[in-house]
Amino acid sequence: MGSGPRWLLIVAIALLGVGEWAWGIWSGMTQMTQLHTQLVRQQAAFHLPAAKRHLFTRDEVKTFLAAAKQAEAIKDPLQRCLAYPDPPRSHWSPDAVAAYCHYRLQPVISFAEAQALIQSGKAAELDGRLAQALHDQQTQAGSPGVLNQIFYQDFGNGSFDIRPTLDAWKRDSPTSAFAYAASGFADVEMAANARGSAYMSDTPQSNVDAMNRLLSQADTDLRRAIELNRQVTPAYVAMINAGKMGPGRTYIDEAARRGLAVAPADYSISSALMVAEQPKWGGSLYAMTGLARRAQTHAKDNPLLVLLLAEVPAYEYDVCNCESRADWAAYPTVFDNVASLNLLSNAGSAAASNNHPELSVVYLSEALRFQSATDAIRRKRASGLAALGESKMALDDANSLIAADPKNADNYQMRGIVYMDMADNRHAEQDLETALALNPDDIDVLSELGNIYTNVTYEWDKGWDVADRIIRKYPDSPGGWVMRATIQENQPRAGLNETYQYFVNHFGNDPGMQWQITHMRELLAKAPQGDSAKTVSK
């Protein structure tokens, strides 16, 4: 080889070394798999002009729902999940979907079972079952993340009620890595509850002190768990989550480094780290992209890692964004590949809140695919189904929910709304009245019922009573006063001037109420002198 080619080779090697350093110790020089190509394609598509994006057509949604309804008739949750259709025009990885179906729906030991074993002096048996779950997680393709799922389900609700059970477990099994990991895992979730969701500046110092105390306890137990068995992956997940609240970036990075060293293909560790890499936690889109890219080198061992591909565009676009000006046509690009239950649910809920049923029913259906027992998601989907003319499917859902839980007011409210969309006002009224009997003074139900009486059936006395109930219970809500003004205009009734004055005094600075104020002022100008100023009793 001549000197020229040799120098070119040296330069090339040096440049490759710089590239490896820039991407961190995980990336190496391995050629990116086809899944990395999907990430590049997905990100490039996400930045296409709006004209290149698309909403689902009515025919696409109709075809999707027909297939979804067939799948939902399957009794077995896993087979139902596997049979479910993917979103229209998406490119969901079949292996990743199958892995996520197993991950979400595999049977796991419940907290009640674990508690019964501990209370009956059989903590060793519980340790043995968790050791088997760890072994299955490491070796069985059909048990992806099973130990992690047990920890999420049994110890991740943030309830202090489970603390006595966890303490008893540690006493009975002082060398159990699982007992210490569970204790630390639970403490991190309790710390999050103690801290709350307000800005730190708005959080009472007592809450901050409680959070820090719990995080300190968690750190002690989690470190002990790792000393006893460094393979117990939920311990690293808990440490990453703890780092966001207090210990900080160094703590997070150390937990991730140690966790991925023993379980490089673990989805829960990478998923927790992905959240910690978000800009709002001190990370960056660059860091998120790098993590998603590195994770795909292990996707052949764990297809769940494909779910990380959606995290960057989902964060960049913000699928929790409920603003009406959002670019809803970007959703199909964000979710071109399978995403987590949380992202799918958030996307469907945001679309539902902003009158995009063509998106909401698809993504809420996909959320139900991976967690079919979520009644709140099913109720939210129902209104979108009715809006798209799929009232029969919505009504079937409502009937099933009421049959399963006949004392739940939300289920009757949902069916009442479906009946309203079907223009069946008699049944809508019956269900809304039933919901109100179960949950008196619910403003949402009162508003729906008042809408029927005021704007559909014109039963002014009933509408007036509903408006009066809203005004008495929620005087700072404009809904009851708008309802009252509508009746005073259309029946007519006296007292519009009183309504107008209250509205101006309490809602005059609300930009969204200016039309109502202007309209009332115009009505007053046209009213016979003196009649509009009559006072009505509240």
Side-chain angles (χ1 to χ4, degrees):
M1 180 182 295
S3 60
R6 183 178 294 111
W7 279 110
L8 288 174
L9 178 61
I10 292 172
V11 171
I13 293 173
L15 289 174
L16 288 173
V18 171
E20 181 177 3
W21 172 83
W23 279 109
I25 61 174
W26 286 297
S27 74
M29 299 307 298
T30 307
Q31 182 180 8
M32 290 296 101
T33 62
Q34 182 179 4
L35 292 172
H36 171 232
T37 302
Q38 290 177 357
L39 174 63
V40 174
R41 174 173 57 79
Q42 185 177 34
Q43 289 180 308
F46 179 73
H47 293 290
L48 286 174
K52 296 292 186 180
R53 304 172 188 175
H54 65 275
L55 294 171
F56 301 134
T57 67
R58 185 63 64 94
D59 286 343
E60 285 176 330
V61 175
K62 185 176 181 179
T63 300
F64 170 85
L65 289 175
K69 190 171 183 179
Q70 281 189 325
E72 289 179 7
I74 299 173
K75 299 294 184 182
D76 181 75
L78 177 59
Q79 295 305 314
R80 179 169 60 242
C81 185
L82 294 172
Y84 217 86
D86 299 335
R89 285 188 270 173
S90 65
H91 301 86
W92 285 21
S93 160
D95 289 342
V97 170
Y100 200 46
C101 285
H102 282 86
Y103 177 75
R104 294 291 319 177
L105 300 170
Q106 60 190 323
V108 298
I109 184 173
S110 68
F111 177 77
E113 292 177 276
Q115 184 179 49
L117 289 171
I118 294 167
Q119 291 177 343
S120 60
K122 298 179 180 178
E125 181 179 337
L126 174 60
D127 292 331
R129 293 180 65 175
L130 294 178
Q132 183 62 51
L134 175 59
H135 176 75
D136 292 345
Q137 176 173 290
Q138 294 171 327
T139 62
Q140 303 297 319
S143 300
V146 60
L147 181 67
N148 297 327
Q149 276 294 80
I150 291 172
F151 272 66
Y152 283 127
Q153 177 176 295
D154 294 356
F155 315 119
N157 63 4
S159 171
F160 283 86
D161 294 340
I162 69 174
R163 172 48 55 197
T165 299
L166 298 175
D167 290 341
W169 187 6
K170 287 193 294 182
R171 287 194 301 270
D172 292 350
S173 295
T175 60
S176 168
F178 301 108
Y180 283 98
S183 180
F185 197 98
D187 273 342
V188 171
E189 296 305 315
M190 293 175 195
N193 281 359
R195 187 250 185 269
S197 58
Y199 288 110
M200 187 61 78
S201 59
D202 298 327
T203 302
Q205 186 59 44
S206 59
N207 290 48
V208 176
D209 293 341
M211 176 192 76
N212 289 331
R213 182 177 65 256
L214 288 162
L215 290 177
S216 178
Q217 292 173 190
D219 179 67
T220 299
D221 281 351
L222 293 170
R223 290 185 184 277
R224 177 60 175 154
I226 293 171
E227 288 175 4
L228 291 166
N229 185 348
R230 65 192 187 98
Q231 301 290 333
V232 179
T233 50
Y236 304 106
V237 174
M239 294 178 85
I240 292 170
N241 290 336
K244 302 199 303 279
M245 287 183 279
R249 176 55 53 182
T250 301
Y251 188 88
I252 291 171
D253 291 344
E254 177 66 10
R257 183 190 66 78
R258 296 180 67 182
L260 292 173
V262 299
D266 189 87
Y267 167 70
S268 294
I269 294 175
S270 290
S271 180
L273 182 57
M274 181 64 80
V275 175
E277 296 286 23
Q278 292 174 351
K280 68 179 179 182
W281 295 111
S284 65
L285 291 175
Y286 177 84
M288 294 176 70
T289 301
L291 173 59
R293 180 182 183 181
R294 292 190 299 270
Q296 301 320 300
T297 64
H298 300 286
K300 63 182 183 300
D301 300 316
N302 186 0
L304 287 175
L305 292 169
V306 174
L307 273 71
L308 299 180
L309 294 174
E311 295 288 340
V312 181
Y315 185 89
E316 187 173 3
Y317 178 66
D318 184 5
V319 297
C320 298
N321 187 345
C322 293
E323 297 180 4
S324 59
R325 66 175 181 271
D327 183 3
W328 303 103
Y331 267 47
T333 305
V334 172
F335 296 104
D336 188 54
N337 216 323
V338 61
S340 69
L341 170 66
N342 187 52
L343 288 182
L344 292 167
S345 177
N346 286 342
S349 296
S353 299
N354 287 274
N355 197 31
H356 278 280
E358 75 286 352
L359 295 174
S360 71
V361 298
V362 170
Y363 294 118
L364 292 175
S365 292
E366 293 297 350
L368 290 169
R369 173 185 197 170
F370 299 113
Q371 190 172 338
S372 59
T374 306
D375 292 353
I377 295 177
R378 192 170 297 278
R379 285 193 293 267
K380 192 177 290 288
R381 185 183 71 164
S383 60
L385 289 171
L388 292 171
E390 298 289 340
S391 298
K392 176 63 167 59
M393 187 174 180
L395 201 56
D396 288 344
D397 272 355
N399 290 333
S400 297
L401 288 170
I402 289 173
D405 190 2
K407 296 298 183 181
N408 190 315
D410 293 337
N411 293 336
Y412 290 98
Q413 179 187 0
M414 180 189 78
R415 191 170 69 178
I417 293 172
V418 172
Y419 278 131
M420 286 175 65
D421 284 321
M422 297 171 67
D424 187 344
N425 297 309
R426 183 175 65 85
H427 283 106
E429 178 184 348
Q430 289 175 354
D431 276 341
L432 292 173
E433 289 285 7
T434 300
L436 210 56
L438 292 167
N439 188 13
D441 297 322
D442 184 309
I443 190 171
D444 292 329
V445 178
L446 285 168
S447 297
E448 296 290 353
L449 199 56
N451 179 55
I452 292 177
Y453 295 144
T454 306
N455 300 310
V456 181
T457 62
Y458 309 120
E459 296 176 83
W460 305 120
D461 288 341
K462 288 184 177 181
W464 190 266
D465 289 341
V466 170
D468 200 47
R469 290 176 68 176
I470 295 175
I471 289 169
R472 287 200 311 269
K473 187 71 176 179
Y474 306 98
D476 294 327
S477 172
W481 293 96
V482 171
M483 200 177 299
R484 172 176 282 188
T486 301
I487 296 171
Q488 288 168 328
E489 173 187 0
N490 289 282
Q491 189 173 22
R493 291 194 183 199
L496 181 59
N497 185 62
E498 179 193 53
T499 302
Y500 168 73
Q501 292 298 335
Y502 188 95
F503 219 86
V504 169
N505 292 337
H506 289 79
F507 313 115
N509 294 325
D510 185 344
M513 296 292 107
Q514 296 311 303
W515 183 90
Q516 286 85 351
I517 292 173
T518 300
H519 186 61
M520 281 186 245
R521 189 184 301 120
E522 291 172 350
L523 292 174
L524 286 169
K526 297 176 183 177
Q529 183 65 30
D531 182 66
S532 61
K534 292 178 183 177
T535 302
V536 294
S537 60
K538 293 184 185 178

